[in-house]
Amino acid sequence: QLTVDISQDIEIHAPIGDAYKALLRRITDESSTPDNKPMPMVLEPWPGGRWFRDLGDGQGHLWGFVQVIKPPTLIEIQGPMFMSYAVAGHIQFRLTQIPGGTELSLRHRVLGLVEQQHREGVVYGWRHVLESVKKFAE
């Protein structure tokens, strides 16, 4: 198995602009692990911008680079994300206005020798992100 392909959606009872702001908040300042340990991240919101965990003193973890950003409907990031080994990854956050709110769709695809713990944890981890965005937006 050299691939991972995760697709998840969530309905958010909030306008698309509020949902987009909640997504940015969740993947940056309010980022946390599924067991709710803080893990603040930085997103440079322009094509080629970095998404990384800043540990201070020049230390950190690069998760990826912004490939596409079209507020308030789309963010795509390519890079290894949380995997500090040889993989190629791409994540897409797509927001769509629907009656009564916004649908947030996530698609994460990876090519490489993905460790079993990451293969198992990624489904739960991304669900945690989507549910947090919903909570922040609503």
Side-chain angles (χ1 to χ4, degrees):
Q1 283 256 28
L2 293 176
T3 63
V4 174
D5 191 350
I6 307 288
S7 292
Q8 298 180 359
D9 315 293
I10 196 164
E11 286 189 21
I12 300 170
H13 302 289
I16 195 168
D18 292 347
Y20 183 81
K21 289 175 192 168
L23 172 61
L24 288 179
R25 178 178 160 201
R26 176 57 185 84
I27 65 173
T28 58
D29 299 332
E30 298 288 330
S31 186
S32 64
T33 62
D35 57 352
N36 290 316
K37 292 180 183 167
M39 192 176 75
M41 304 282 289
V42 174
L43 177 72
E44 298 170 336
W46 54 79
R50 298 167 298 163
W51 186 33
F52 64 98
R53 185 171 180 196
D54 185 357
L55 300 175
D57 293 329
Q59 300 179 61
H61 303 270
L62 176 67
W63 279 38
F65 294 97
V66 175
Q67 184 171 333
V68 177
I69 187 162
K70 295 180 180 179
T73 60
L74 183 63
I75 299 174
E76 293 183 14
I77 299 171
Q78 56 90 16
M81 309 303 159
F82 45 84
M83 295 168 274
S84 291
Y85 46 89
V87 296
H90 179 269
I91 188 160
Q92 179 185 76
F93 298 98
R94 182 177 297 280
L95 296 94
T96 306
Q97 191 74 53
I98 58 172
T102 305
E103 179 180 65
L104 172 56
S105 300
L106 173 149
R107 183 144 190 212
H108 184 194
R109 292 180 276 188
V110 182
L111 176 63
L113 298 171
V114 179
E115 293 178 1
Q116 191 60 33
Q117 69 186 35
H118 288 142
R119 188 177 295 281
E120 293 169 3
V122 70
V123 175
Y124 177 72
W126 289 128
R127 176 55 49 193
H128 172 69
V129 168
L130 294 182
E131 289 171 357
S132 298
V133 172
K134 178 178 175 74
K135 179 181 157 192
F136 292 161
E138 293 179 354

